[in-house]
Coordinates of all heavy atoms in Angstrom, one line a residue:
M1 N 5.0 136.7 4.7 CA 6.4 136.3 4.9 C 7.1 136.3 3.5 O 6.7 135.6 2.6 CB 6.5 135.0 5.6 CG 7.9 134.5 5.7 SD 8.9 135.4 6.9 CE 7.9 135.3 8.3
K2 N 8.1 137.1 3.4 CA 8.9 137.1 2.2 C 10.3 137.1 2.5 O 10.8 137.8 3.4 CB 8.6 138.4 1.3 CG 7.2 138.4 0.8 CD 6.9 139.8 0.2 CE 5.4 139.9 -0.3 NZ 5.1 141.2 -0.7
I3 N 11.1 136.3 1.7 CA 12.5 136.3 1.9 C 13.1 136.5 0.5 O 12.5 136.1 -0.5 CB 13.1 135.0 2.5 CG1 12.7 133.8 1.7 CG2 12.6 134.9 4.0 CD1 13.5 132.6 2.2
N4 N 14.3 137.1 0.4 CA 15.0 137.2 -0.8 C 15.9 136.0 -1.1 O 16.7 135.6 -0.2 CB 15.8 138.5 -0.8 CG 15.1 139.7 -1.3 OD1 14.3 140.3 -0.5 ND2 15.2 140.0 -2.5
C5 N 15.8 135.5 -2.2 CA 16.7 134.5 -2.6 C 18.1 135.0 -2.7 O 18.4 136.1 -3.3 CB 16.3 133.9 -4.0 SG 17.5 132.7 -4.6
L6 N 19.0 134.3 -2.0 CA 20.4 134.8 -2.0 C 21.1 134.7 -3.3 O 22.1 135.3 -3.6 CB 21.2 134.1 -0.9 CG 20.7 134.3 0.6 CD1 21.6 133.5 1.5 CD2 20.7 135.8 0.9
S7 N 20.6 133.8 -4.1 CA 21.3 133.5 -5.4 C 20.8 134.5 -6.5 O 21.6 135.1 -7.1 CB 21.0 132.1 -5.8 OG 21.5 131.8 -7.0
C8 N 19.5 134.6 -6.7 CA 19.0 135.4 -7.8 C 18.3 136.7 -7.4 O 18.0 137.5 -8.2 CB 18.1 134.5 -8.7 SG 16.5 134.1 -7.9
G9 N 18.1 136.8 -6.1 CA 17.4 138.0 -5.6 C 15.9 138.0 -5.7 O 15.2 138.9 -5.3
H10 N 15.4 136.9 -6.3 CA 13.9 136.8 -6.4 C 13.3 136.7 -5.0 O 13.8 136.1 -4.1 CB 13.6 135.6 -7.2 CG 12.2 135.4 -7.6 ND1 11.6 136.0 -8.7 CD2 11.1 134.8 -6.9 CE1 10.3 135.8 -8.7 NE2 10.0 135.0 -7.7
I11 N 12.1 137.3 -4.9 CA 11.4 137.3 -3.6 C 10.6 136.0 -3.5 O 9.7 135.7 -4.4 CB 10.5 138.5 -3.5 CG1 11.3 139.7 -3.4 CG2 9.6 138.3 -2.2 CD1 10.5 141.0 -3.4
I12 N 10.9 135.2 -2.5 CA 10.2 134.0 -2.3 C 9.1 134.2 -1.3 O 9.4 134.7 -0.2 CB 11.1 132.9 -1.8 CG1 12.3 132.6 -2.7 CG2 10.4 131.6 -1.5 CD1 13.4 131.8 -2.2
V13 N 7.9 134.0 -1.6 CA 6.7 134.2 -0.7 C 6.4 132.9 0.0 O 6.2 131.9 -0.6 CB 5.5 134.7 -1.5 CG1 4.3 135.0 -0.6 CG2 5.9 136.0 -2.3
L14 N 6.4 133.0 1.3 CA 6.0 131.9 2.1 C 4.7 132.2 2.8 O 4.5 133.3 3.3 CB 7.1 131.6 3.2 CG 8.5 131.4 2.6 CD1 9.5 131.4 3.8 CD2 8.6 130.1 1.9
D15 N 3.8 131.2 3.0 CA 2.6 131.5 3.6 C 2.7 131.4 5.1 O 3.8 131.1 5.7 CB 1.5 130.5 3.1 CG 1.7 129.1 3.4 OD1 2.3 128.8 4.4 OD2 1.3 128.2 2.6
D16 N 1.6 131.6 5.8 CA 1.6 131.7 7.3 C 2.1 130.4 8.0 O 2.5 130.4 9.1 CB 0.2 132.0 7.8 CG -0.2 133.5 7.4 OD1 0.7 134.2 7.0 OD2 -1.4 133.8 7.5
A17 N 2.0 129.3 7.3 CA 2.5 128.0 7.8 C 4.0 128.1 8.1 O 4.5 127.3 8.9 CB 2.2 126.9 6.9
Y18 N 4.6 129.1 7.6 CA 6.1 129.1 7.7 C 6.5 130.1 8.8 O 7.7 130.5 9.0 CB 6.7 129.6 6.4 CG 6.8 128.5 5.4 CD1 5.8 128.2 4.5 CD2 8.0 127.7 5.3 CE1 5.9 127.2 3.6 CE2 8.0 126.6 4.4 CZ 7.0 126.4 3.5 OH 7.1 125.4 2.6
S19 N 5.5 130.6 9.6 CA 5.9 131.6 10.6 C 6.9 131.1 11.7 O 7.6 131.9 12.2 CB 4.6 132.2 11.2 OG 3.9 131.2 11.9
D20 N 6.8 129.8 11.9 CA 7.8 129.2 12.8 C 8.3 128.0 12.0 O 7.7 126.9 12.0 CB 7.2 128.7 14.1 CG 7.2 129.9 15.1 OD1 8.3 130.3 15.5 OD2 6.1 130.3 15.4
Y21 N 9.4 128.2 11.4 CA 9.9 127.1 10.5 C 11.4 127.1 10.4 O 12.1 128.2 10.4 CB 9.3 127.4 9.1 CG 9.8 126.4 8.0 CD1 9.3 125.1 7.9 CD2 10.8 126.8 7.1 CE1 9.8 124.2 7.0 CE2 11.3 125.9 6.1 CZ 10.7 124.6 6.1 OH 11.2 123.7 5.1
E22 N 12.0 126.0 10.4 CA 13.4 125.8 10.3 C 13.7 124.7 9.3 O 13.3 123.6 9.5 CB 14.1 125.6 11.6 CG 15.6 125.5 11.5 CD 16.2 125.4 12.9 OE1 15.5 125.6 13.9 OE2 17.5 125.2 12.9
G23 N 14.3 125.0 8.2 CA 14.6 124.0 7.2 C 14.9 124.7 5.9 O 15.3 125.8 5.8
S24 N 14.7 123.9 4.8 CA 15.2 124.4 3.5 C 14.0 124.7 2.7 O 12.9 124.1 2.8 CB 16.0 123.3 2.9 OG 15.3 122.1 2.7
V25 N 14.2 125.7 1.9 CA 13.2 126.0 0.9 C 13.9 126.2 -0.5 O 15.1 126.5 -0.5 CB 12.4 127.4 1.2 CG1 11.5 127.2 2.4 CG2 13.4 128.5 1.3
K26 N 13.2 125.9 -1.5 CA 13.8 126.0 -2.8 C 13.2 127.2 -3.6 O 12.0 127.4 -3.6 CB 13.4 124.7 -3.6 CG 14.2 124.5 -4.9 CD 13.9 123.2 -5.5 CE 14.9 122.9 -6.6 NZ 14.6 121.6 -7.2
C27 N 14.1 128.0 -4.1 CA 13.7 129.1 -5.0 C 13.2 128.5 -6.3 O 13.9 127.8 -7.0 CB 14.9 130.0 -5.2 SG 14.5 131.3 -6.4
Y28 N 11.9 128.8 -6.6 CA 11.4 128.2 -7.8 C 11.8 129.0 -9.0 O 11.5 128.6 -10.1 CB 9.8 128.2 -7.7 CG 9.2 129.5 -7.3 CD1 9.0 130.5 -8.3 CD2 8.8 129.7 -6.0 CE1 8.4 131.7 -7.9 CE2 8.2 130.9 -5.6 CZ 8.0 131.9 -6.6 OH 7.4 133.1 -6.2
T29 N 12.5 130.1 -8.9 CA 13.1 130.8 -10.0 C 14.4 130.2 -10.5 O 14.6 130.0 -11.6 CB 13.2 132.3 -9.7 OG1 11.9 132.8 -9.3 CG2 13.7 133.1 -10.9
C30 N 15.3 130.0 -9.5 CA 16.7 129.6 -9.9 C 17.0 128.2 -9.3 O 18.1 127.7 -9.6 CB 17.7 130.6 -9.5 SG 18.0 130.7 -7.7
S31 N 16.1 127.6 -8.6 CA 16.3 126.3 -8.0 C 17.4 126.2 -6.9 O 17.8 125.1 -6.6 CB 16.6 125.3 -9.1 OG 15.5 125.2 -10.0
A32 N 17.8 127.4 -6.5 CA 18.8 127.4 -5.4 C 18.1 126.9 -4.1 O 16.9 127.1 -3.9 CB 19.4 128.8 -5.1
L33 N 18.9 126.2 -3.3 CA 18.3 125.7 -2.0 C 18.8 126.6 -0.9 O 20.0 126.8 -0.7 CB 18.8 124.3 -1.8 CG 17.9 123.3 -1.0 CD1 16.5 123.3 -1.5 CD2 18.5 121.9 -1.0
L34 N 17.8 127.1 -0.1 CA 18.2 128.0 1.0 C 17.7 127.4 2.3 O 16.7 126.7 2.4 CB 17.4 129.4 0.8 CG 17.6 130.1 -0.5 CD1 16.7 131.3 -0.5 CD2 19.1 130.6 -0.6
E35 N 18.6 127.5 3.3 CA 18.2 127.1 4.6 C 17.7 128.3 5.4 O 18.5 129.2 5.6 CB 19.4 126.4 5.3 CG 19.0 125.8 6.6 CD 20.3 125.2 7.3 OE1 21.0 126.0 7.9 OE2 20.5 124.0 7.2
I36 N 16.5 128.2 5.9 CA 16.0 129.4 6.5 C 15.5 129.0 8.0 O 15.2 127.9 8.3 CB 14.7 130.0 5.8 CG1 13.6 128.9 5.7 CG2 15.2 130.4 4.4 CD1 12.3 129.5 5.1
K37 N 15.5 130.0 8.8 CA 15.1 129.9 10.2 C 14.1 131.0 10.4 O 14.5 132.2 10.4 CB 16.3 129.9 11.1 CG 15.9 129.4 12.5 CD 17.1 129.4 13.5 CE 18.2 128.4 13.1 NZ 19.3 128.4 14.1
L38 N 12.9 130.7 10.7 CA 11.9 131.7 11.0 C 11.3 131.5 12.4 O 11.1 130.4 12.8 CB 10.8 131.6 10.0 CG 11.2 131.7 8.5 CD1 10.0 131.5 7.6 CD2 11.9 133.0 8.1
S39 N 11.1 132.6 13.1 CA 10.5 132.5 14.4 C 9.5 133.6 14.6 O 9.9 134.8 14.4 CB 11.6 132.5 15.5 OG 11.1 132.5 16.7
E40 N 8.3 133.3 15.0 CA 7.3 134.3 15.3 C 7.1 135.2 14.1 O 6.9 136.4 14.3 CB 7.6 135.0 16.6 CG 7.6 134.1 17.8 CD 8.0 134.8 19.0 OE1 8.4 136.0 19.0 OE2 8.0 134.2 20.1
G41 N 7.2 134.7 12.9 CA 7.0 135.5 11.7 C 8.2 136.4 11.3 O 8.0 137.2 10.4
L42 N 9.3 136.2 12.0 CA 10.5 137.0 11.6 C 11.6 136.1 11.1 O 11.7 134.9 11.6 CB 11.0 137.7 12.9 CG 10.1 138.8 13.5 CD1 10.6 139.3 14.8 CD2 9.9 139.9 12.5
V43 N 12.3 136.6 10.1 CA 13.4 135.8 9.6 C 14.6 135.9 10.5 O 15.1 137.0 10.8 CB 13.8 136.4 8.2 CG1 14.9 135.6 7.6 CG2 12.6 136.3 7.2
K44 N 15.0 134.8 11.0 CA 16.2 134.8 11.9 C 17.5 134.6 11.1 O 18.5 135.1 11.5 CB 16.0 133.7 13.0 CG 14.8 133.9 13.9 CD 15.0 135.1 14.7 CE 13.8 135.3 15.7 NZ 13.9 136.5 16.4
S45 N 17.4 133.7 10.2 CA 18.6 133.5 9.4 C 18.2 132.9 8.0 O 17.2 132.2 7.9 CB 19.6 132.7 10.1 OG 19.2 131.3 10.1
V46 N 19.0 133.3 7.0 CA 18.9 132.7 5.7 C 20.3 132.3 5.3 O 21.2 133.1 5.2 CB 18.3 133.7 4.7 CG1 18.1 133.0 3.3 CG2 16.9 134.2 5.1
K47 N 20.4 131.0 5.0 CA 21.7 130.6 4.5 C 21.6 129.9 3.2 O 20.6 129.4 2.8 CB 22.3 129.5 5.5 CG 23.0 130.1 6.7 CD 23.6 129.0 7.6 CE 23.2 129.1 9.0 NZ 23.4 128.0 9.8
F48 N 22.7 130.0 2.5 CA 22.7 129.5 1.1 C 23.2 128.0 1.2 O 24.3 127.8 1.7 CB 23.7 130.3 0.3 CG 23.6 130.0 -1.1 CD1 22.5 130.2 -1.9 CD2 24.8 129.6 -1.8 CE1 22.4 129.9 -3.2 CE2 24.7 129.3 -3.1 CZ 23.6 129.5 -3.8
L49 N 22.4 127.1 0.8 CA 22.7 125.7 0.9 C 23.4 125.2 -0.4 O 24.4 124.5 -0.3 CB 21.5 124.9 1.2 CG 21.1 124.6 2.7 CD1 20.0 123.6 2.7 CD2 22.3 124.0 3.4
E50 N 22.7 125.5 -1.4 CA 23.1 124.8 -2.7 C 22.7 125.6 -3.9 O 21.5 126.0 -3.9 CB 22.5 123.4 -2.7 CG 23.0 122.6 -3.9 CD 22.2 121.2 -3.9 OE1 22.0 120.7 -2.8 OE2 21.9 120.8 -5.0
L51 N 23.5 125.7 -4.8 CA 23.1 126.4 -6.1 C 23.1 125.3 -7.1 O 24.0 124.6 -7.4 CB 24.2 127.4 -6.5 CG 23.9 128.1 -7.8 CD1 22.6 128.9 -7.8 CD2 25.1 129.0 -8.2
T52 N 21.9 125.2 -7.7 CA 21.8 124.3 -8.8 C 21.8 125.0 -10.1 O 21.5 126.2 -10.2 CB 20.5 123.4 -8.7 OG1 19.4 124.3 -8.6 CG2 20.5 122.6 -7.4
R53 N 22.1 124.4 -11.1 CA 22.1 125.0 -12.4 C 20.8 125.6 -12.8 O 19.8 125.0 -12.7 CB 22.5 124.0 -13.5 CG 24.0 123.7 -13.5 CD 24.7 124.8 -14.4 NE 26.1 125.0 -14.1 CZ 26.7 126.1 -14.5 NH1 26.2 127.0 -15.2 NH2 28.0 126.2 -14.2
I54 N 20.8 126.9 -13.2 CA 19.6 127.6 -13.5 C 19.3 127.6 -15.0 O 19.8 126.8 -15.8 CB 19.7 129.0 -13.0 CG1 20.9 129.7 -13.5 CG2 19.6 129.0 -11.5 CD1 20.9 131.2 -13.1
A55 N 18.4 128.5 -15.3 CA 17.8 128.6 -16.7 C 18.7 128.0 -17.8 O 18.2 127.2 -18.6 CB 17.5 130.0 -16.9
A56 N 19.9 128.4 -17.9 CA 20.7 128.0 -19.0 C 20.7 126.4 -19.2 O 20.7 126.0 -20.4 CB 22.2 128.4 -18.8
A57 N 20.7 125.7 -18.1 CA 20.7 124.2 -18.3 C 19.4 123.7 -18.6 O 19.2 122.6 -19.1 CB 21.3 123.6 -17.0
E58 N 18.3 124.4 -18.2 CA 17.0 123.9 -18.4 C 16.3 124.2 -19.7 O 15.4 123.5 -20.1 CB 16.1 124.4 -17.2 CG 16.6 124.0 -15.9 CD 15.8 124.5 -14.7 OE1 14.8 125.2 -15.0 OE2 16.1 124.3 -13.6
I59 N 16.8 125.2 -20.3 CA 16.2 125.6 -21.6 C 16.7 124.6 -22.7 O 17.8 124.3 -22.8 CB 16.6 127.0 -22.0 CG1 15.9 128.0 -21.0 CG2 16.2 127.4 -23.4 CD1 16.4 129.4 -21.1
Ligands
ZN1 ZN1 16.7 132.2 -6.7

């Protein structure tokens, strides 16, 4: 299961535990918060919840 981060385009890899999942995941690259809905291993929706300050603020 892979989804694209809507903020930075990075591919977020989710393991099989997420094949039926509804909730938020955090992009570990840019720290954006995405709300995802997965059903039977398919991505039903990906919404952008929150953008947090990325690299620039952390370096
Ligand atoms: Zn990202």
Side-chain angles (χ1 to χ4, degrees):
M1 175 68 58
K2 291 173 185 169
I3 60 171
N4 270 82
C5 174
L6 297 181
S7 175
C8 70
H10 188 85
I11 294 172
I12 302 169
V13 180
L14 303 170
D15 65 33
D16 291 343
Y18 284 88
S19 61
D20 277 291
Y21 177 77
E22 185 173 351
S24 59
V25 291
K26 192 173 188 179
C27 173
Y28 51 83
T29 301
C30 72
S31 297
L33 207 53
L34 304 174
E35 185 182 81
I36 61 171
K37 194 182 291 185
L38 307 175
S39 178
E40 297 174 357
L42 297 172
V43 180
K44 296 297 182 183
S45 74
V46 182
K47 276 185 235 166
F48 189 61
L49 269 187
E50 183 183 326
L51 176 64
T52 56
R53 278 275 155 196
I54 55 174
E58 296 178 4
I59 293 171

